[in-house]
Amino acid sequence: MTSTLPQQHPAIAQCMSALAECYRASGDVDHAIHLHKQIINMMQTHCMVGVITDALTNLGTCYMMKGVWREALDALHQCLTIQRAYLPQLHPAIVKTLYWIGAVHWDSGDMEKEKAVQILRECLEIAEQTIPMDVVTANALQLLGCHAMDEEQCDEAEQLFLRSRDILRQVAPMSEEMARVCIGLGAVYHDSSRLLEAEEATTQALKILNAVHPQGHSLIQQAEQLLHLIWQTKFGN
């Protein structure tokens, strides 16, 4: 392809992005980061806004996988700045970037949770005005549900998890995202002494996780621990 197209052709960037995703999926995140940086540098002189913002988002999520929070936020904020300069303020791409910024703040530690909640609420506010509910929206609702649980606001947490579950039932019913929501509901129902519902939700999470992850995966262990706790509470031993 490089022999027939200009070196900075968007099609080449698309191939590089696909290759970067293969590296990321195989665990070679550093190689993926290198390719995304190449795409950004290659496309800047041509002002290919969509290609650049996609590469910045992918770069940010790769840094997120490595736990390199500052670099992840730098890439995602660059992306958001470009999007807000070139796109309508209620554009779905902005929703996605806001979600990833909120997720980075969430994952980077307790000191960043309030910042994450603020950004995730902004993400949802825009999403509800512009786009059909999707996995990104469901994930934002799930994280806000976790925050409500941390604040011991079980009723609010339940409503957020249920909204997330309703979306995922339509777009990703057998996904890790759905399993996370079911675990959240299981915890809410356990803390509210609704043990039958807690057991059903957590069992559903395990069913999904066993279909999409190998035994020993951290989420499977989390669901198994919650189910054991529910049984302990239910049977008193």
Side-chain angles (χ1 to χ4, degrees), residues 172-184:
M174 289 294 291
S175 62
E176 179 180 308
E177 290 82 2
M178 176 64 92
R180 289 181 184 274
V181 170
C182 290
I183 290 171

Side-chain angles (χ1 to χ4, degrees), residues 113-237:
K113 290 291 175 68
E114 290 302 323
K115 183 67 173 177
V117 169
Q118 175 187 343
I119 294 168
L120 290 167
R121 285 174 176 162
E122 182 183 358
C123 165
L124 281 177
E125 183 179 346
I126 297 173
E128 288 167 352
Q129 298 178 65
T130 60
I131 60 174
M133 299 295 98
D134 61 2
V135 172
V136 168
T137 309
N139 287 346
L141 287 164
Q142 185 261 334
L143 289 180
L144 290 172
C146 291
H147 174 70
M149 281 291 291
D150 291 343
E151 298 294 312
E152 299 182 353
Q153 298 171 346
C154 286
D155 289 344
E156 180 180 352
E158 180 183 3
Q159 292 307 309
L160 289 163
F161 287 138
L162 287 174
R163 287 176 63 192
S164 181
R165 187 185 68 179
D166 289 345
I167 294 168
L168 292 170
R169 278 177 169 170
Q170 299 179 50
V171 299
M174 289 294 291
S175 62
E176 179 180 308
E177 290 82 2
M178 176 64 92
R180 289 181 184 274
V181 170
C182 290
I183 290 171
L185 282 169
V188 168
Y189 294 144
H190 173 265
D191 290 356
S192 304
S193 299
R194 296 156 63 182
L195 298 181
L196 179 59
E197 291 169 282
E199 185 175 0
E200 289 175 349
T202 310
T203 300
Q204 178 65 18
L206 274 172
K207 177 182 177 182
I208 295 169
L209 291 169
N210 283 321
V212 300
H213 287 308
Q215 284 296 320
H217 189 276
S218 59
L219 277 176
I220 293 177
Q221 293 177 357
Q222 182 181 348
E224 288 174 341
Q225 290 168 1
L226 176 58
L227 189 59
H228 183 65
L229 178 61
I230 293 165
W231 287 340
Q232 281 185 317
T233 305
K234 185 176 181 179
F235 298 112
N237 51 37

Side-chain angles (χ1 to χ4, degrees), residues 48-141:
M48 301 296 296
V49 173
V51 177
I52 293 169
T53 54
D54 285 348
L56 283 166
T57 299
N58 291 331
L59 180 62
T61 56
C62 283
Y63 278 130
M64 185 180 176
M65 290 178 66
K66 289 173 64 68
V68 186
W69 311 118
R70 179 50 52 198
E71 284 83 351
L73 287 172
D74 285 348
L76 291 166
H77 277 294
Q78 285 182 53
C79 178
L80 185 62
T81 297
I82 295 170
Q83 288 171 333
R84 284 182 161 161
Y86 287 92
L87 298 175
Q89 294 308 297
L90 300 179
H91 195 279
I94 292 176
V95 174
K96 182 179 178 181
T97 304
L98 284 170
Y99 165 73
W100 282 118
I101 292 171
V104 171
H105 280 293
W106 181 272
D107 285 354
S108 63
D110 291 340
M111 297 297 291
E112 297 290 326
K113 290 291 175 68
E114 290 302 323
K115 183 67 173 177
V117 169
Q118 175 187 343
I119 294 168
L120 290 167
R121 285 174 176 162
E122 182 183 358
C123 165
L124 281 177
E125 183 179 346
I126 297 173
E128 288 167 352
Q129 298 178 65
T130 60
I131 60 174
M133 299 295 98
D134 61 2
V135 172
V136 168
T137 309
N139 287 346
L141 287 164

